[in-house]
Amino acid sequence: QAEWLRMLIRNLVDNAIRYTPTGGALRVTVSCTAGQCRLCVSDSGPGIPASERDAVVRRFHRLDQGTQPGSGLGLAIVARIAELHGADLELATAEDLRGLQATVVWKVRN
């Protein structure tokens, strides 16, 4: 579903832009190695604490208590679209940018 994949990418990039401060950094990478294809969106925003990462993929869950626009659906939508396309959403701290790193991983079948 090409439109769903566009929505997945748009939600990840929109979230990274929304939470990255002025003058911050955002990086989008795509790679395919060792039996996996990966779409990775990293930013220099505040990130998401490890203890909250499972919760933020649930619908309407907001860490910012409404200080940013949105309804708390972005990462829930991303996770569901990834699942429907046989992929996993992984959330981590971006090592070099120190914000959030959201990675969608597809297993490549030979």
Side-chain angles (χ1 to χ4, degrees):
Q1 295 288 334
E3 186 58 36
W4 291 1
L5 292 173
R6 279 190 282 278
M7 183 182 301
L8 178 146
I9 294 166
R10 183 175 54 242
N11 281 350
L12 288 177
V13 172
D14 284 351
N15 277 352
I17 290 169
R18 179 177 295 129
Y19 291 102
T20 297
T22 302
L26 168 81
R27 182 177 48 247
V28 178
T29 59
V30 177
S31 62
C32 196
T33 58
Q36 295 182 339
C37 286
R38 303 169 71 83
L39 165 66
C40 183
V41 179
S42 303
D43 65 58
S44 61
I48 297 174
S51 62
E52 291 288 327
R53 292 182 187 149
D54 287 337
V56 297
V57 296
R58 291 195 309 258
R59 294 178 299 162
F60 308 113
H61 185 84
R62 304 279 309 260
L63 288 181
D64 62 17
Q65 302 301 313
T67 60
Q68 294 290 330
S71 60
L73 289 173
L75 289 176
I77 290 169
V78 168
R80 182 66 177 141
I81 292 171
E83 178 185 359
L84 291 171
H85 286 83
D88 294 312
L89 173 63
E90 299 173 354
L91 302 177
T93 300
E95 290 183 21
D96 54 343
L97 297 178
R98 308 254 186 237
L100 181 65
Q101 177 175 295
T103 305
V104 181
V105 181
W106 287 266
K107 303 274 190 283
V108 177
R109 296 182 210 143
N110 293 328

